[in-house]
Amino acid sequence: MAERAALEELVKLQGERVRGLKQQKASAELIEEEVAKLLKLKAQLGPDESKQKFVLKTPKGTRDYSPRQMAVREKVFDVIIHCFKRHGAEVIDTPVFELKETLTGKYGEDSKLIYDLKDQGGELLSLRYDLTVPFARYLAMNKLTNIKRYHIAKDFDIAGNFDPMIPDAECLKIMCEILSSLQIGDFLVKVSWEEVKNEMVGEKGLAPEVADRIGDYVQQHGGVSLVEQLLQDPKLSQNKQALEGLGDLKLLFEYLTLFGIDDKISFDLSLARGLDYYTGVIYEAVLLQTPAQAGEEPLGVGSVAAGGRYDGLVGMFDPKGRKVPCVGLSIGVERIFSIVEQRLEALEEKVRTTETQVLVASAQKKLLEERLKLVSELWDAGIKAELLYKKNPKLLNQLQYCEEAGIPLVAIIGEQELKDGVIKLRSVTSREEVDVRREDLVEEIKRRTGQPLCIC
Amino acid sequence: MAERAALEELVKLQGERVRGLKQQKASAELIEEEVAKLLKLKAQLGPDESKQKFVLKTPKGTRDYSPRQMAVREKVFDVIIHCFKRHGAEVIDTPVFELKETLTGKYGEDSKLIYDLKDQGGELLSLRYDLTVPFARYLAMNKLTNIKRYHIAKDFDIAGNFDPMIPDAECLKIMCEILSSLQIGDFLVKVSWEEVKNEMVGEKGLAPEVADRIGDYVQQHGGVSLVEQLLQDPKLSQNKQALEGLGDLKLLFEYLTLFGIDDKISFDLSLARGLDYYTGVIYEAVLLQTPAQAGEEPLGVGSVAAGGRYDGLVGMFDPKGRKVPCVGLSIGVERIFSIVEQRLEALEEKVRTTETQVLVASAQKKLLEERLKLVSELWDAGIKAELLYKKNPKLLNQLQYCEEAGIPLVAIIGEQELKDGVIKLRSVTSREEVDVRREDLVEEIKRRTGQPLCIC
């Protein structure tokens, strides 16, 4: 290693000498001589293998998305964003990093969740690890008391002082709509209540004999019925805070029934969320089925969406401590991508990674210019079109490209067609070919690929 | 300050004492006493004002996007992505951070462009600062020799060994299509050539008398004509590399003419790109107009899109140095957002930040449950709908909300309507109201808001 370091130093010095000579406009002969020395030293040094091996990976815990994976991701995001918009949400965005204090203010310096940026003499910065804290910082900074928004296609929140449980019920409705639309299997949303739970199982809560009975309740996962039972419990109903929480829970289940999703929700006191900013109802959606094949990791475990009420977080950022009640949800998109990906792989389903409608091809040589002119016409008319980047591609290669990429149509230019003012339009699956007048080509492609004829 | 630090230490110690007592299940009396001491100390300390002021900002050089700004951003991204898809591009994504070596391999340790993450005992990581280097790493890592892709809605590249200048011409076509579609004013794409430039103005290039003449050429911004002139220059045409480059440039301008964009392109040897990975044609789009109003910063300066050929970058990441020629472009989305935003502000144009089609409202009190039922029916039928989160909102407030949010329709529930099995559908702008049978409501809303009746 010491030898390598010495060689590296020599290469560096020789490099400097060569650059110096060039600057001084030394004779070509002299420069050549010194360059030769430099190359010899570099050859002795050889490639830095450890470095090259090290570089070819993504950071631990991160991944690339291939076009196939992105096609899946886009479909999942489409479902989620469409749902958020259906519920009237605006969209905001915040930077990928925040002042370190913005993030540590809530979690304490030693939080394992936080990636710090290196101190470069300016502000101390950290990467955001969720979207709730940046959202709370955004509300406090802009003095907003009222907003319904989503954030990079996975976080939805309702902030504001509203009548009890209406926004909470909508969040649960949204969660159910998204999980149903994604068709990733049966799911159940477990619901609990931070304050009720604290009252019941916390230190300063109920007498031990009541706390002992909690276990029984917890076993009886269920919706309204469990809430009713708890409300009738004489010991519980003497506790004001627990009683209020249970009253709100009952209201919540009434609204969930009106939304037609009460069968998807289960009140479950065993539920606990990792983050400590929750103050009211908390929830987590789990898949019930394990669509795992032999040898595969089971997929039914773990949550695919979660959220809850956090009424105190915005106040922590406000200089005067003004509170903005919030309730929200977050979709576990990474987990859902994997599930959809595995399912598509199991079905051996082909996923198109482009939307190209037509390939502009030629039957003879020397037609590159004609192909460029036609493809440009199609682009200008809003058609998704490609051509092979070769001067004289073989027709067979052009047809094969369509098969592989799933392109449905080929517009073939030939010498005869040029004379006749037509283009041969070929369907890739049926192999049928028909001559289309050049001025009708755009309309014919739109008709065949189901694209609206007007631009709305 | 020293006093404050001492107080902070005392608060910390007292906090630890309280927690310890609680853990040891000490008497309530004792705990209360110690908590009182803690609160007294905290009161003495007062709020940490410097910290609270400090927290309420985004990191230097970053910004939040409000719903209005996001609406603009989405429109810009729609235009860009639609264009990339029209040209048959796939999409990939890579992590926001990379191994430090991946980024420094190209630029040297001291690059100002790189934000390092703090060393947390694992890998040394840095934030990506462009998408070209991660793309090159992705190609080398996956041994890809051939791809046309875009990357988070602003970077487009074509990688692969193709016949000369066809992909380069398509990149310029894409740039022109996007800038035309965005309607941000007249633009010009300046084109230069790294190798030609090096040959002509570099150290080991032409004789001084020819280099002197370069100035004249540079003055004559222009397309084909300047290339022709350079080709006819006897001194230049004796230089093999310069001649090859000029030949390719001539070919490029022929293709640009076929694409109908030659009038947008200007060959301009004064162009220089900041990054050193470019190896062939380089280009940069600038706005020609300065739509600045009195007192505003002029907008016409600076580039709104740029790119070029970089044939060496992928090879740097490949252990065997295998080269993958690449050409690409990057859209200056941040700059374009500001231009569109300023324009909309100048026009005082209202930007809708939601897509809500209808507000579910009530004319009387005690109709919350009916509202919840109806809005749920509409959501389930794919209608974008909202309701106010109040038990008994006033009709006037509900109508005002629609005015402010630009919601075009209101579905009003009243006791009479419930008896008659109808809903009153009101147009917010015309104030016309009509009774619609409940079973026809979804179809009527879709008809009025131009949503297709079928889900295609």
Side-chain angles (χ1 to χ4, degrees), chain A residues 54 57 60 64-65 73 90 93 101 116 118 123 137 163 170 173 353 380 389 391, chain B residues 51 54 57 60 64-65 73 90 93 101 116 118 123 137 163 170 173 353 380 389 391:
Chain A
F54 188 61
K57 68 183 286 299
K60 217 184 282 178
D64 291 326
Y65 285 88
R73 197 162 92 161
E90 303 182 302
D93 201 5
E101 287 198 71
D116 289 336
K118 203 166 158 184
E123 298 167 328
R137 191 266 307 147
D163 280 335
E170 186 171 2
K173 173 74 173 162
T353 55
D380 293 346
Y389 301 126
K391 262 182 113 155
Chain B
K51 186 184 164 186
F54 187 62
K57 69 183 286 299
K60 217 183 285 176
D64 291 326
Y65 285 87
R73 198 165 88 160
E90 304 182 302
D93 201 4
E101 288 197 69
D116 289 336
K118 202 165 155 181
E123 297 166 329
R137 192 267 305 146
D163 280 333
E170 186 171 5
K173 172 75 173 161
T353 55
D380 292 346
Y389 302 126
K391 261 182 115 153

Side-chain angles (χ1 to χ4, degrees), chain B residues 113-131:
Chain B
L113 293 165
I114 294 176
Y115 274 96
D116 289 336
L117 265 68
K118 202 165 155 181
D119 184 359
Q120 290 172 322
E123 297 166 329
L124 292 175
L125 305 177
S126 304
L127 281 182
R128 69 180 175 198
Y129 60 88
D130 77 357
L131 297 167

Side-chain angles (χ1 to χ4, degrees), chain A residues 176-280:
Chain A
C176 290
E177 280 182 29
I178 288 171
L179 293 176
S180 298
S181 305
L182 287 172
Q183 297 182 296
I184 49 172
D186 268 358
F187 61 90
L188 189 70
V189 183
K190 298 180 180 176
V191 174
S192 185
W193 194 272
E194 279 295 307
E195 281 156 20
V196 175
K197 222 176 92 184
N198 290 343
E199 286 307 315
M200 292 175 69
V201 301
E203 312 162 29
K204 51 177 185 153
L206 299 173
E209 62 269 24
V210 179
D212 280 350
R213 251 185 293 164
I214 302 301
D216 301 334
Y217 289 131
V218 173
Q219 296 309 313
Q220 308 161 30
H221 303 295
V224 174
S225 60
L226 178 53
V227 179
E228 297 276 7
Q229 255 189 66
L230 289 172
L231 271 170
Q232 276 156 26
D233 188 307
K235 289 274 159 58
L236 262 180
S237 55
Q238 277 162 30
N239 182 306
K240 194 169 161 270
Q241 260 189 289
L243 203 62
E244 275 179 17
L246 285 170
D248 276 350
L249 257 179
K250 199 168 164 246
L251 199 58
L252 176 67
F253 275 99
E254 281 168 27
Y255 296 161
L256 298 178
T257 307
L258 289 166
F259 282 166
I261 52 164
D262 49 314
D263 60 322
K264 292 287 182 200
I265 314 287
S266 165
F267 182 48
D268 184 342
L269 283 172
S270 68
L271 177 65
R273 303 279 306 126
L275 298 171
D276 59 355
Y277 49 59
Y278 290 108
T279 55

Side-chain angles (χ1 to χ4, degrees), chain A residues 97-115:
Chain A
F97 42 97
E98 293 274 348
L99 298 187
K100 184 179 165 71
E101 287 198 71
T102 301
L103 301 179
T104 53
K106 181 64 199 139
Y107 298 102
E109 289 284 337
D110 55 4
S111 173
K112 288 284 185 286
L113 292 165
I114 295 177
Y115 274 95

